[in-house]
Amino acid sequence: LEILVTILNENDNSPVFAQPNLNKEIPEDTKVDTAIVAREEVSASDADLDTIYYELTTTVQDTDGYFAIRGVNNPEIYLQKALDYDKFNSTTLLLYARDRPVTSTDPTNTGTATITITIQQSDTRAPWFLPCTRLHDDSSVCISSPYSGRVNISEMSTEPLLLEPGPIYAIDPDYTIRERIVYSIVGGNTDEVFSVDADTGNLTMNKIVTSPDTFLLQVMATQANNIRRYSVATVEIKVINKSNFPPYFEKGVYNGTVFVGLPQRSFVYQAGDPSTPLVITAMDQDFPDV
């Protein structure tokens, strides 16, 4: 008597990852659609020889949508959206391997792999002149105002010029890199009157100016390692007559009279003389004819 026995494979094994914990470091400027984790590194095996279905999720808030798998049966992880180091610099992904489709009502066995992604900041931004204001709370854009200063006619200043809102200063906004900044004047420096220190940004004079004038200097800040990473700021320098005396009022106290019921912007009149508007005047000995 010949008896044929067929053994049915019961689904009693969970998919297993060869590496259930992976760590990956990627640069911030990684191109979209680049493979981050190869298929071979995150493929699971099943002793029951079932087809494996994959699903990828993230455990860190606001990092969803940046990484994805190629397909339900292809666990290769790739970059789906451009990275921004200022938004987040690490995340943790969970890759699920199931031996039944997600929609299946059959008993399902599941394996899990944890992938930790660390983002390295890349040199992606040009220098910022300070102080500056972030645009619409966007950490990647910071707008600076022009610098301004004054020098006296026929005087040679030997110290760095005092500027508003502060000295010329720029930084590399990629703050984990902080490349050295180099300064230079690239425009507006008629007759080479001014020079800028390449390392400090201090603005100094090379020669005197003998007549009233205004210089609109263009100062460039570049990264020492990459001249293509640069920004340009405007520095307005006014050449003025030297001021030795502060302005002063002709009187220490002014008295005026107003009448009840007058509309806005009505004149205030001199006290004791209701027909003469009150005038407050100041003088300056530096400008006796003004």
Side-chain angles (χ1 to χ4, degrees):
L1 178 63
E2 182 177 309
I3 301 174
L4 179 63
V5 179
T6 301
I7 301 175
L8 301 178
N9 187 15
E10 184 178 350
N11 184 23
D12 56 354
N13 292 284
S14 297
V16 176
F17 287 97
Q19 300 182 72
N21 292 284
L22 281 174
N23 294 287
K24 291 290 181 180
E25 292 185 354
I26 61 173
E28 177 189 11
D29 57 354
T30 299
K31 302 296 183 183
V32 171
D33 203 45
T34 299
I36 304 302
V37 184
R39 179 175 184 172
E40 295 75 18
E41 293 184 87
V42 285
S43 290
S45 59
D46 188 349
D48 298 318
L49 303 180
D50 292 317
T51 299
I52 299 178
Y53 301 86
Y54 297 93
E55 180 187 7
L56 185 69
T57 64
T58 180
T59 64
V60 180
Q61 187 177 3
D62 299 327
T63 64
D64 191 35
Y66 285 88
F67 301 93
I69 55 176
R70 295 293 183 186
V72 68
N73 300 122
N74 181 355
E76 178 182 273
I77 300 174
Y78 70 98
L79 183 64
Q80 186 172 243
K81 187 165 64 173
L83 298 170
D84 185 342
Y85 186 86
D86 291 324
K87 291 182 178 179
F88 70 97
N89 52 42
S90 67
T91 187
T92 300
L93 307 176
L94 295 180
L95 180 63
Y96 298 99
R98 298 184 176 92
D99 55 13
R100 295 291 185 271
V102 175
T103 57
S104 175
T105 57
D106 295 334
T108 303
N109 296 309
T110 304
T112 305
T114 302
I115 301 98
T116 301
I117 304 291
T118 303
I119 301 167
Q120 299 171 328
Q121 189 171 40
S122 299
D123 188 8
T124 59
R125 292 178 290 187
W128 288 351
F129 281 97
L130 300 182
C132 65
T133 303
R134 296 184 187 275
L135 187 63
H136 307 308
D137 295 324
D138 186 343
S139 60
S140 63
V141 180
C142 202
I143 306 300
S144 61
S145 300
Y147 297 93
S148 63
R150 297 182 299 178
V151 297
N152 295 324
I153 291 177
S154 300
E155 280 195 7
M156 179 73 174
S157 175
T158 58
E159 298 294 327
L161 302 184
L162 298 178
L163 303 175
E164 294 292 340
I168 297 172
Y169 181 61
I171 62 168
D172 178 3
D174 298 312
Y175 51 86
T176 65
I177 300 174
R178 279 289 190 263
E179 285 293 343
R180 185 171 67 89
I181 303 300
V182 178
Y183 304 91
S184 60
I185 299 176
V186 295
N189 194 15
T190 306
D191 296 330
E192 303 295 322
V193 172
F194 302 97
S195 62
V196 65
D197 188 284
D199 295 318
T200 65
N202 286 335
L203 190 67
T204 54
M205 296 185 70
N206 296 323
K207 59 182 72 171
I208 63 173
V209 183
T210 58
S211 62
D213 203 348
T214 298
F215 292 81
L216 290 176
L217 305 177
Q218 301 296 312
V219 176
M220 182 169 70
T222 63
Q223 291 184 189
N225 69 330
N226 185 357
I227 195 173
R228 294 184 179 181
R229 298 267 187 240
Y230 72 91
S231 294
V232 177
T234 299
V235 183
E236 181 184 46
I237 303 296
K238 293 183 178 180
V239 184
I240 62 172
N241 289 310
K242 185 175 181 179
S243 178
N244 294 312
F245 304 97
Y248 64 92
F249 290 101
E250 290 184 315
K251 298 180 180 179
V253 177
Y254 290 83
N255 296 304
T257 300
V258 295
F259 298 98
V260 175
L262 290 177
Q264 292 183 2
R265 305 183 68 82
S266 296
F267 284 119
V268 176
Y269 292 92
Q270 293 184 17
D273 186 1
S275 62
T276 304
L278 178 65
V279 179
I280 299 174
T281 56
M283 304 293 289
D284 190 333
Q285 294 182 42
D286 293 309
F287 305 96
D289 298 328
V290 177

